[in-house]
Amino acid sequence: MADAGINQHPAENSQTSEPISNFHRHGAREEKLEARQQLEIEYLYLDFETQLPTPFRTSTSHLDGSPPPSCPNLKQFTSPFNWTNSRKTMITWLACAATFLAAYAPGSYNAAMDQLTSRWNVSQVVYTTGITVFTTSFALAPMVLAPFSEINGRRPVFLASGVLFTACLIASGGTNSFGGMIAARLFLGVGGSTFSTMVGGVISDIYHAEDRNAPMALFSGAALIGTGVGPLIGSVIAQHTTWRWIFYTHAIASGVVLAIMYLVLQETRGSILLSRKARALNAYYEQLEEAGYHGVLMPSEEPAEKQTVRRIRWKVKADEERESLAKMVRISCTRPFLLLVTEPVVFFFSLWISFSWAVLYLQFGSIPLVFQTSYGFDLQESGAVFTAMAAGALLATVLSIYQERIAMRFGKLSSTPEGRLYFACIESALLPVGLFWFGWTSFPSVPWIVPALAVGCATVGIFSIYLAVFNYLSDTYHRYASSALAAQSCCRNLLGGVFPLITKAMFRNLGTPAASSLLGGIGALLTLVPWVLVFYGTRIRARSKIASELLQQNHT
C-alpha cells in the first residue's frame, strides 16, 4: 500500500520512537506493545507522492492471532493529473456539454420574444432585460460560490448548479407572468454560472499547463457554439410550436447531462481528494490500533531490525492554509476588482474581451433585425443565420487545437505568456473585419449569404480573443489567475447583458452600416492590446507587483 515517492514532514513535538527487536518471551512482547501504545501520535503532511507505511507486526504471529483490518481502496484518491487520457477526455467533454447548455440559454430566450411580448404586453426592450438579468447573476454569482468548490469540491457544486439550472428552465417554461420569468432567469444565471465557469477549474485540475490548449479550446468552442445554437434551435421551436417548449426541451437536455454527470463525474480537485485520502488512512490506523496493531513502519532502506515503530496520522497542508469561508468569500468578491484597477494587463484584457462579448450578444438583436428588414426573413429563417456563428466557432476551435502544435514545431512559440498571443494578434482582427463586412453588405441587393459569412468571420475573431485572454491571464498570474479570470468574466458578462438593450435603437437610429462601422472601429482599436503585450509584455509584467513576484518565484 505505497504510493510512488516520499515526502515526510514529522511533527516538531514528536517523541523518539521505539527500536524493533525480536520478542522471545510473551511478557516482553506485552511490554513492547504497552510502550507503543504510549507513543505520542505524530501528524505528518500527506501529498500524492508520499510513500505510505505498513502496519507493524511482530516477527511471530499477533498476540491474539487476529489479522489486521484490510487497507481501504486508495485508487479513488489518485492524483487527477495521473488519470488515464480516456478518463480525462470523458470529463472534458462532459464539462463542455455543461458549458454548451449554459451558453444556449441567452439566445434561446430571445427566440420567444415575439410570442411573449404580445402575451404579456411588454416592449421588446423590457423583455430583453431577461438576458440582462441572466448575465448579471451569471457574472456575480461565481464570486460568492467559487469558495465552496475549494471546501466541498467540484462535483457537489456542479451537481447542485445543474439541479438549480434545470429547475429554473422548467420554471421558465411553466410561468404565466413576466415577473415569474425574470425571477427564473435570475436563478438560472446563478446555476448556469457555476455550471459553466467552473469548467476552467476542472481543466486545470486534470491537465498540466502545457497540455491545456486543446481542452481550453474545446471549452471556448462550447461556449460560442452554444451561444449560436440557442437562437438557431429556439427559433425553429418558436416557429412551429409554443414558446414553452423552448425551455422544456432545454430542461430535458440539461436533465440528461445532469444524470450522466451524477453517474460518471468524479471529484477533480486535488486538495479535496488528498483530504479524503488522509481521512481514510487515519480511520484505517484507528482500526488497526483497535485491533491491537499499534504503530507503523515508515518506508526505509534500512534493515527491518533497525527501523522504528511510529504512531502517525496524516494531515494536508491545503486544509491548514485554507481561510474561513467568510474570508474566502470576501477575498473572492474583492480581489478581482482590485486586480482590475491595479493591473493594466487585467484591465485592458477585460476591456478587450468585454467588448467582443458585447458584440456576440448584440447579434441576438442585430441579426433578426437586419435579415428580417433587408431580406424579408421570418423568425426561423433569421434564426438559421446563427448557423454561421456556430460554424465559425467550430472552425476556430479546430484551428486553435492544431495551430499551437504547428507553431511549436517551427519554433515560433516561446516559453513566455506572450508566446500564446502570436495567433491572437492576427486572428482577433477578424472581429472588426467581420463587423465592417456585415455593415456594408447588409443590403437587399447583396445576397444574404454575404453578411451571414461576416457573422462567421467575426465569431472566429471573438473566439481567438476569448482563448487568448484565458491563456495569458492564467500564465501570467498563476495562483491569482482565478481572480484575474473572475474580473474579466464579470466585466464581459455585465457588458454582454447591456448591449442587447440598445441594439435595435442603435441600428435603427444610425443605420446598419454606421452602427457596424462604429463597433468595427472600436474593435480595431482594441486589437492593439495583444500587439502591445507581444512587444512590451515582459517589461509590463516586470513592473507589476504581483506578476513580477510570481516571475521571480518561478526563476528561483
Side-chain angles (χ1 to χ4, degrees):
M1 51 174 289
D3 290 352
I6 182 168
N7 184 9
Q8 306 299 339
H9 300 272
E12 294 181 359
N13 297 325
S14 60
Q15 296 180 353
T16 304
S17 301
E18 166 222 5
I20 299 176
S21 61
N22 293 327
F23 299 143
H24 301 291
R25 294 176 303 174
H26 183 70
R29 290 167 57 194
E30 289 182 335
E31 291 177 2
K32 294 290 186 181
L33 176 60
E34 183 178 353
R36 291 198 302 273
Q37 291 173 337
Q38 294 175 355
L39 287 175
E40 182 178 341
I41 294 177
E42 301 178 57
Y43 286 87
L44 313 180
Y45 286 115
L46 179 70
D47 61 33
F48 287 115
E49 303 301 320
T50 302
Q51 278 190 306
L52 300 180
T54 55
F56 172 72
R57 307 189 199 191
T58 61
S59 57
T60 59
S61 62
H62 192 258
L63 292 177
D64 60 3
S66 61
S70 300
C71 176
N73 179 16
L74 301 179
K75 290 184 179 180
Q76 58 184 318
F77 307 122
T78 302
S79 170
F81 290 126
N82 296 330
W83 289 354
T84 63
N85 289 333
S86 59
R87 185 176 177 186
K88 291 181 180 181
T89 300
M90 178 188 67
I91 290 176
T92 300
W93 281 105
L94 189 59
C96 288
T99 298
F100 176 91
L101 291 172
Y104 181 96
S108 63
Y109 170 82
N110 202 66
M113 179 183 293
D114 291 342
Q115 293 186 36
L116 291 181
T117 50
S118 59
R119 178 186 179 91
W120 291 331
N121 194 27
V122 296
S123 68
Q124 292 185 347
V125 174
V126 171
Y127 178 81
T128 306
T129 58
I131 297 178
T132 308
V133 168
F134 173 85
T135 56
T136 301
S137 58
F138 197 99
L140 300 177
M143 296 187 178
V144 178
L145 299 177
F148 288 91
S149 70
E150 297 187 27
I151 297 175
N152 303 308
R154 311 286 192 197
R155 186 176 189 272
V157 177
F158 250 122
L159 296 178
S161 300
V163 170
L164 177 62
F165 188 77
T166 306
C168 289
L169 286 172
I170 296 174
S172 298
T175 186
N176 289 313
S177 67
F178 182 64
M181 176 65 77
I182 293 298
R185 299 293 294 180
L186 175 67
F187 291 102
L188 184 70
V190 174
S193 65
T194 51
F195 211 21
S196 174
T197 56
M198 197 176 294
V199 173
V202 170
I203 291 174
S204 298
D205 289 341
I206 62 179
Y207 292 101
H208 292 290
E210 60 272 16
D211 300 322
R212 288 176 194 160
N213 183 68
M216 281 302 298
L218 291 173
F219 164 56
S220 304
L224 270 72
I225 293 172
T227 303
V229 171
L232 171 64
I233 296 180
S235 62
V236 175
I237 296 174
Q239 183 84 8
H240 296 282
T241 184
T242 174
W243 60 272
R244 297 187 188 274
W245 278 104
I246 294 175
F247 303 102
Y248 288 153
T249 54
H250 193 182
I252 292 170
S254 178
V256 171
V257 171
L258 180 61
I260 297 173
M261 193 175 292
Y262 177 80
L263 294 174
V264 304
L265 180 64
Q266 296 174 310
E267 183 55 53
T268 64
R269 189 167 180 83
S271 60
I272 298 296
L273 292 174
L274 206 56
S275 298
R276 293 176 182 175
K277 183 176 182 178
R279 287 196 295 270
L281 286 171
N282 291 342
Y284 171 56
Y285 295 155
E286 291 176 3
Q287 293 174 3
L288 285 173
E289 293 186 359
E290 290 175 358
Y293 291 82
H294 291 266
V296 295
L297 295 178
M298 303 303 294
S300 174
E301 296 181 358
E302 295 182 352
E305 61 271 11
K306 293 184 179 181
Q307 295 182 32
T308 57
V309 177
R310 302 162 69 179
R311 291 183 68 198
I312 69 167
R313 296 293 186 270
W314 296 111
K315 59 182 178 179
V316 178
K317 185 166 290 188
D319 292 337
E320 296 182 336
E321 295 175 347
R322 188 179 296 127
E323 304 286 355
S324 66
L325 178 60
K327 187 173 182 179
M328 290 172 66
V329 171
R330 179 175 63 81
I331 292 174
S332 180
C333 292
T334 57
R335 183 179 288 165
F337 297 105
L338 180 64
L339 291 177
L340 190 65
V341 298
T342 60
E343 292 291 314
V345 170
V346 177
F347 175 81
F348 283 104
F349 263 54
S350 297
L351 181 63
W352 191 32
I353 194 173
S354 297
F355 173 77
S356 66
W357 214 246
V359 171
L360 184 72
Y361 275 49
L362 173 144
Q363 293 178 97
F364 293 152
S366 64
I367 288 176
L369 175 64
V370 169
F371 282 86
Q372 289 176 12
T373 302
S374 298
Y375 299 100
F377 281 14
D378 59 22
L379 177 62
Q380 180 176 332
E381 290 171 336
S382 60
V385 177
F386 285 93
T387 304
M389 182 185 292
L394 181 60
L395 174 62
T397 302
V398 175
L399 287 175
S400 64
I401 291 175
Y402 289 100
Q403 67 189 12
E404 184 168 317
R405 300 177 186 176
I406 295 172
M408 292 181 68
R409 180 180 302 173
F410 289 96
K412 297 298 182 182
L413 288 183
S414 66
S415 58
T416 63
E418 288 74 30
R420 292 181 180 268
L421 296 178
Y422 293 140
F423 286 107
C425 288
I426 305 300
E427 293 173 355
S428 62
L430 294 177
L431 172 58
V433 168
L435 289 170
F436 284 116
W437 179 354
F438 181 82
W440 293 97
T441 59
S442 298
F443 302 107
S445 58
V446 180
W448 65 268
I449 191 64
V450 177
L453 291 175
V455 173
C457 176
T459 303
V460 174
I462 294 171
F463 179 96
S464 68
I465 296 170
Y466 188 70
L467 188 59
V469 169
F470 264 83
N471 286 332
Y472 190 85
L473 293 181
S474 297
D475 291 345
T476 301
Y477 292 98
H478 300 282
R479 70 172 180 266
Y480 296 106
S482 59
S483 296
L485 292 172
Q488 63 81 26
S489 178
C490 180
C491 292
R492 67 180 168 85
N493 281 293
L494 288 177
L495 193 61
V498 170
F499 263 50
L501 298 175
I502 63 173
T503 299
K504 291 190 176 181
M506 181 172 67
F507 273 74
R508 282 172 176 164
N509 293 334
L510 297 179
T512 299
S516 293
S517 297
L518 174 62
L519 296 172
I522 298 173
L525 182 64
L526 290 174
T527 304
L528 295 175
V529 171
W531 286 102
V532 171
L533 288 174
V534 163
F535 289 106
Y536 303 104
T538 303
R539 275 183 269 177
I540 293 174
R541 286 188 289 118
R543 295 176 63 181
S544 164
K545 183 178 179 180
I546 294 177
S548 61
E549 174 187 343
L550 295 173
L551 186 62
Q552 292 174 1
Q553 291 177 358
N554 290 338
H555 286 303
T556 58

